[in-house]
Amino acid sequence: MDGMFDPSRRNSGDGPGRALPRVDGLAKVTGSAPYAGDFALPDMLYGVVVSSRIARGRITGYDLDAALAVPGVERIYTCLDRPRMPASAHRWRDMVGPPGRPFRPLYDTRILYAGQPVALVIAREFEIARDAAARVGVRYEAEAHATKLERYLDQAYVPPKKREGIPPPAEPRGDAERAFAEADCRIVGEYVSPAEYHNPIELFGSLAWWEGGQLKVYDKTQGAAATAQYLASVFGLGVDEVQVTSPFVGGAFGSALRPQYQLFLAAMAARDLDAPVRVQLTRPQMFSFGYRPRTRQRVGIGTDASGSLRAITHDAIAGTSVFEDYQEAVVNWAGKLYACDNVRTGYELVKLNLYSPQDTRAPGAALGLYALEAAIDEMAHASGVDPVAFRLANDSDRDRDMDLPYTSKALRSALEQGAAAFGWNERSPTPRGTRDGHTLIGHGMASGVWDAMQMQASAVATLRADGRLEVGSATADMGTGMYTVMVQVAADTLGLPAARITARLGDSSLPMAPLAGGSWSAASVGAAVENATLALATKLHAIAARLPDSAFVGSRFDQVAFEDGELRLRAAPERAIRLEALLAASGDDAITATAKAAPDPASQKRWARNTHGAQFVEVGVDEELGVVQVRRVVAAIAAGRIINPLTARSQIIGGVVMGIGMALHEEAMLDDRLGRMVNRNLGEYHVPAHADIPPIEVIFVDEPDPEVNQLGVKGLGEIGIVGTAAAVANAIFNATGRRVRELPITLDKLI
Amino acid sequence: MRSFGYARAGSLAEAIAARAAGATPIAGGTNLIDLMKLDVARPDRLLDLNGLDLRGIEIGPEGARIGALVSNADLAAHQQIAARYPLLASALLAGATGQLRNAATTGGNLMQRTRCYYFNEADTPCNKRSPGAGCVAIGGVTRIHAILGASEHCIAVHPSDMCVALAALDAQVIAEGPAGERAIPASAFHRLPGDTPERDNTLGDDEIITAVTLPAEGFADHYSYLKLRDRLSYAFALVSVAAALRIEDGRIAEARLALGGVAHKPWRDQEAEAALIGREPTRAAFADAAAIVLAPARAQGSGPEGNAFKIDLARRAIIRAFDQAARRTPQSQTHKQVA
Ligand SMILES: Cc1cc2nc3c(=O)[nH]c(=O)nc-3n(C[C@H](O)[C@H](O)[C@H](O)COP(=O)(O)OP(=O)(O)OC[C@H]3O[C@@H](n4cnc5c(N)ncnc54)[C@H](O)[C@@H]3O)c2cc1C
Ligand code: SF4
């Protein structure tokens, strides 16, 4: 079956390219879309987690009498009194876990970080469980903890074992130190960013029950299949003995790529008590697992007299847990983005008594491009070259690290079109050059880059007697628009209106899909849906060709078209048969086809694949008070083919908002004495409010790319955030003449 | 959150009796319920005030009387309040979010507790939660803590915006208890922590707030409420300033200045106000007033985790807010750019 995308095939108005409102939008805004914590079962029990107060040490005992005395409490699990669980680390591995020993909830008395679950209270009502949880006494023997990155920089190490799927720093190219020393113009900057938590609005919660030896779960996850595999491994089951359902996810940003501890606890208690158990975390407990790690970066850049890049060094040190070596690609971008012969990068970790960091929207790149693009701005300024011109002049048409050409790289168009739409050339290149009363106005920009990956995925397509089509794959939609993408791809191949297509996802019993992360889902699952619907189309054509007296007898597949709910002969479109009629003639209730899609390995070896962006930001900074207001943003994005301009725009806007938050607001405040974050709520952990967000103009530049994958799409989940924080910081410099190299740029850093 | 009893008060007398017997009043619940979830507040019995007839706003030539159950949203939107006491309306709108202001009440706003991070961490030592336990905030993350009037026992601030305007406007808090009704000047309602930080204010344990009254003068011509915070909306003040002036013949005839986010109470400084009388409304005059207010200011730690920056920030904010008031360009609470 040939799955290549054929751009001449435009069978349904609802196919790719159409700004179709998201198909699950109505259910979401009317509250009828069920999230994990909305599901309930008869005789369900409720679990509430008790969290560790200390960051390191041992549990010496529990005082449970008061909690057990609360009427309605069924059971309290502690590390001293819990069902058997596997010890060996490999049983606890999940799909994206870094090297090390995955966390095992309630495993033993060791406290590895503050917030660690130390008891699970099960009761007949949620309120009862919560009440009793407050009365659980835990005795600890505290040991000195290490939580503040800056105090342990001397213990930084190169992670001995690489994290799968994450490229280590590239081999050095040329001699960066020497070229830097010999450069005509150079800058060095140290950039610091705090720990940031994903903080999706939907809290983590899981409902688990056992049915005839099968484990069933409603969970918040970015990968139902991955979660099922994890549970199967931990509980010693076959993968077909676990079903994970997660139809809607209320935001995740990477937090639901790994199973969180409430999932295991719910399943453990459900098996032990032979009852459905829901364990729901609280907002403060959302700060008891992964986050974007606090990271310190040092970037050195040198140019020759004409402003050509001669040397780049980029080093990063980030925190990780004591039990895993979390790694992300922070320093791997300079060598890709820019033409520079001398590049050296380094990446080190420091062990801290915190949970392991976890992929957070554009993991690595959001941090790395903050530092790199802020430094490039410093370099452009130091060498007297306009920042856009600097980037254009030093752009690379090859990935120099992999020494491969790009399937496409329309970054130049993004820079040019973004600059034009923004009015970049009207800005004052001199800091403090524009003011409006007390407000200093500044303009900054930055480039962004992210991967354009495709993973193997499968999908199923079923046409029913009523003419409705259902497509399914075990992927996830965390607000990304995946449901809509699936519908639109299917609409295209089978010539059906979107209203007659249902997409199903978030169910591990559906055909396998990769975790919904890395911005690869549109390319991966989209291709699988295209292949499944094409396989279905082939079957339908075969039925038509077998019909007695049919116009399709003897026709080949490439001689027919699926349009407006009909199968037609291309040469004689009036010779058509409705799909319902075909199905009736087949004698079946439904016709199903399943198919797989995978990246082309030969193409993967020949080409580098990336998505690019250029962010332009205008800020106003109150000269006296330091108050920063972002006044407008233009995000010009080169991401291949855009399947749905509406959901695509939403993805970029969401990324830009998060980037503004990274620049100005987000910060988990660590109290090093307590070893924990102290602003664990959305009142004090600041993400941007509406008032902080200006109009955002999103431009998708033309970037046809038949090579990148069969749909020609590159994915949009991450690219919106990459570079945004640097663009804001650069705009603040242009406004005030101040380089603030520590995020978030709060007003105290500007007065 | 622990289990609790619940009763709805049918009359004020019933409410006072229940309160005297140890019940905890609840109005909008926006602060109390949060604290119960964090296990910081552990009331045995809740006394729901919402059935009481305390929702009226009366306004006349001699002043205004605002019922304790009037929501922050209704009060800010009240046309005569907005016209005669725009400083109050502005401060209300600077606080929280639309949703919260719909639920939050006048009485509850006065009684809301500090946002000190550590106060909310039920398992840490905090004198305000457990007298004598110590104050873990000292030496910790003190970005949102006091620069004025703190003690070695507590460095928390009162977080309200509304109360800052009430203090500046010489409002009175009307409380009723078994002994009858009394009026407490707004600037004396909240107190400094001293060695009893467990007491936020001077309301008796057996009293209920029934109303807030405002005098006739509302400073509608020259006022500004300037709130500086870590994002442009929905964040508590790092520093806020309620500034009001009466200007006659180009000179200041009367001045009011109260600060929020800097002390255990809205910080009013009458000496600084007096220093402005008779002067022209210039930045130099305002800077002198700021210097007087901030002379006793003390920092708790430096850098972004400390609050040393708040002293300088407060100085700048005072000058700006007065300048805005003098020029009749009060800070807009909808267009967030500082004017
Ligand atoms: C996320 C968040 C952000 C916020 N931001 C701001 C802000 O920026 N600025 C600001 O000013 N406020 C802010 N607030 C606080 C908000 O204004 C208060 O929570 C609210 O005013 C409390 O009023 P309530 O009616 O809900 O009080 P409740 O929660 O019902 O009660 C609070 C306390 O007052 C007592 N009480 C209530 N009524 C009476 C009465 N009549 N007599 C005696 N005691 C009484 C209760 O016993 C309780 O102790 C914020 C709150 C939240 C949750
Ligand atoms: S500052 Fe006050 S409220 Fe905060 S921890 Fe110390 S005593 Fe408690």
Side-chain angles (χ1 to χ4, degrees), chain B residues 280-302:
Chain B
E280 285 175 19
T282 60
R283 285 177 64 96
F286 303 142
D288 290 345
I292 296 172
V293 184
L294 295 167
R298 294 288 169 272
Q300 302 283 338
S302 58

Side-chain angles (χ1 to χ4, degrees), chain B residues 34-336:
Chain B
D34 278 3
L35 292 174
M36 289 166 68
K37 286 185 186 166
L38 293 168
D39 205 30
V40 169
R42 302 172 184 178
D44 281 336
R45 275 170 301 135
L46 288 188
L47 170 67
D48 188 344
L49 302 181
N50 285 291
L52 301 181
D53 183 20
L54 299 173
R55 286 179 205 280
I57 299 176
E58 294 155 37
I59 188 158
E62 65 298 333
R65 184 183 171 98
I66 300 152
L69 289 174
V70 172
S71 77
N72 289 177
D74 285 348
L75 184 55
H78 193 275
Q79 283 195 356
Q80 284 169 283
I81 292 287
R84 292 234 341 242
Y85 305 99
L87 179 63
L88 175 59
S90 185
L92 283 161
L93 291 175
T97 64
Q99 295 93 323
L100 282 160
R101 293 194 298 269
N102 282 336
T105 64
T106 308
N109 195 314
L110 279 156
M111 295 294 289
Q112 68 173 299
R113 315 237 35 207
T114 182
R115 309 304 291 200
C116 167
Y117 305 125
Y118 303 91
F119 178 73
N120 287 334
E121 301 273 313
D123 57 8
T124 59
C126 164
N127 287 324
K128 194 180 270 302
R129 262 190 284 105
S130 350
C135 170
V136 68
I138 295 172
V141 183
T142 53
R143 184 176 177 82
I144 57 174
H145 287 79
I147 51 171
L148 287 164
S151 76
E152 59 182 308
H153 304 288
C154 179
I155 59 170
V157 308
H158 193 262
S160 169
D161 292 298
M162 179 191 86
C163 297
V164 182
L166 293 183
L169 290 170
D170 269 349
Q172 300 215 306
V173 178
I174 311 299
E176 203 166 323
E181 188 181 279
R182 67 182 179 119
I184 310 161
S187 49
F189 181 77
H190 296 98
R191 57 187 294 284
L192 292 181
D195 55 7
T196 50
E198 66 275 19
R199 297 206 71 86
D200 292 351
N201 55 54
T202 52
L203 189 75
D205 287 338
D206 52 1
E207 288 181 311
I208 281 184
I209 298 170
T210 54
V212 165
T213 61
L214 293 166
E217 175 61 83
F219 297 92
D221 288 339
H222 294 285
Y223 76 94
S224 187
Y225 188 76
L226 178 61
K227 178 177 181 182
L228 302 176
R229 49 194 142 175
D230 276 334
R231 61 182 161 194
L232 295 175
S233 174
Y234 185 37
F236 289 93
L238 292 165
V239 170
S240 70
V241 182
L245 295 168
R246 203 154 52 71
I247 298 177
E248 281 172 11
D249 304 328
R251 288 187 185 272
I252 297 169
E254 196 175 355
R256 296 286 173 81
L257 172 62
L259 303 183
V262 296
H264 201 257
K265 58 184 288 188
W267 192 265
R268 177 105 187 254
D269 190 321
Q270 275 152 329
E271 194 192 328
E273 292 170 2
L276 286 170
I277 310 290
R279 294 190 64 176
E280 285 175 19
T282 60
R283 285 177 64 96
F286 303 142
D288 290 345
I292 296 172
V293 184
L294 295 167
R298 294 288 169 272
Q300 302 283 338
S302 58
E305 287 173 16
N307 70 358
F309 73 91
K310 283 169 68 166
I311 300 176
D312 193 32
L313 187 67
R315 186 180 61 75
R316 294 161 184 244
I318 292 168
I319 297 170
R320 181 69 70 82
F322 268 129
D323 203 37
Q324 290 176 326
R327 292 167 188 276
R328 295 184 181 233
T329 53
Q331 178 58 40
S332 162
Q333 303 303 346
T334 43
H335 301 287
K336 305 287 175 177

